Amino acid sequence: MSVTLTDLTAPEGYERLVLAEAPRHGLRALICLHSTVLGPAAGGCRMWAYDNDDQAIHDVTRLARGMTHKNAMADLGLGGGKAVIFGDARTDKTPDMMRAFGEAVETLAGTYWTAEDVGISPADMAFAAERTRFAVGLSGASGDPSPWTAEGVFRCLRVGSGHVFGTEDLTGRRVLVQGLGHVGLSLAEKLAKAGARLIVTDIHAAALKDAMTRLGAVVCAPDAVFDQQIEIFAPCALGGILTERTVGELSASLVCGAANNQLADDALALRLEAAGITYLPDYVVNAGGIISVASEIHGKPDAWRLERLTAIAARVSQMLTTAREAGQAPAAIADEMVRTMLSGRRAA
C-alpha cells in the first residue's frame, strides 16, 4: 500500500499542512499540525463530503487550532492537530482506506496522534492502527471518546446554568440539542434524566424518532432551530452554526454544546456577550473526548481521566467568575489563558 504525502502551504502560525493520497484505496486526506509547543499534536480524524478543497482546508485548520486550545486548557501535555478525509462516510469508507490513512499518520513519526471524529468509529480507527502506532480511541483501550465528551459538556452546562440562572437544577429548563450523533444523543439522555424540557433536531429521522420515544423530546426541523423559545442551546452538529444572523435570532441565555468551532467568526463571542447570551467556548467544554484519548496516549488509568474531566467544570467556573469580574466575554478569558500557557512554554 503506497501513500503519497505532499506538504501544502500552511497558514501563518501553523506548523504543517499535509495532503495524503492513496488513489487506489480511495484516500484523499488532509492532516494539519497547528502546534506542538505543549507536546505532540493530537486530534481526531473526520470524514466529510466537502464541496471543494478550500472548504476542507478551512475546516481542518480551524479544527487543528481548536485542538491546540482544547488540549492546553485540559492540561494534557499535547499540542493541536486534526485530520479530514474527503468522502461520504456512509458510502465511500473502506478498511483499506483507513489502513492507508494509518500509513500517512505513521509517516509523520509521532508528531500527530489520531482518533475518532465525525464519520469515523473505533472500528475504523482499528484499521488505521494496523498501519500506525499513533492511532488511539481503540476498543479495548480508551474506547469511544463520545461518552466522555458528552459527560464533560453536561457538567459544564450545569455550571453555566448556575452562573446564568442561579441554579444548576435543570428541571423544566428548555434545552435544544442540535445534532443527535453519538455525543449529542448521549447529552440529550443526560438532560432528559436531569428533568430538562428537551427539544431536538437532526437530519436523520430515525434519531429523532428514538429521542421522541425514549426521551420524550419535542422535535423541531433543522431550519427552525432559531425559531424556538429556549433557555439553553446545545450545538452538537457541525461548526459555524452561530452567525451574525442566527445570533440575532437566538432566544437562549446560555450556549454550551459539543460541536467544534460553533462561531462562524471569533468576533461573534463579543456579539453574544452584548446580547446577554453566555457562550461557553466549545474547546473548553467539549474536551472530555480528547481527555479519554490522552489517557491512552500517556498510558494513564481511569482515575486520571476522571480527575481531568472534573477539572473542566472547575475551569469553566473560574473562567465565568473572571469574565464577570473583568467585564469581558468568557471566550476572551479562555483565549488569554491559552496564550499564557503557550507563551510560557515557548519562553521555557
Side-chain angles (χ1 to χ4, degrees), residues 3 9 25 34 58 104 125 144 175 181 204 213 216 241 265 277 292 299:
V3 179
T9 302
H25 302 292
H34 174 257
H58 177 76
M125 200 48 58
D144 185 357
V175 186
H204 300 298
T213 303
I241 188 63
D265 186 295
I277 302 169
S292 177

Side-chain angles (χ1 to χ4, degrees), residues 9-71:
T9 302
E12 183 178 356
Y14 287 70
E15 294 183 7
R16 194 173 184 189
L17 178 62
V18 175
L19 173 65
E21 296 178 292
R24 180 181 173 187
H25 302 292
L27 177 71
R28 192 162 186 269
L30 293 167
I31 302 174
C32 180
L33 279 62
H34 174 257
S35 172
T36 56
V37 170
L38 297 178
C45 172
R46 168 176 296 187
M47 186 168 182
W48 194 256
Y50 294 101
D51 291 336
N52 52 58
D53 287 7
D54 288 344
Q55 186 184 70
I57 290 171
H58 177 76
D59 199 27
V60 77
T61 52
R62 287 201 75 195
L63 289 166
R65 178 177 177 272
M67 289 308 303
T68 295
H69 286 62
K70 185 183 302 188
N71 293 339

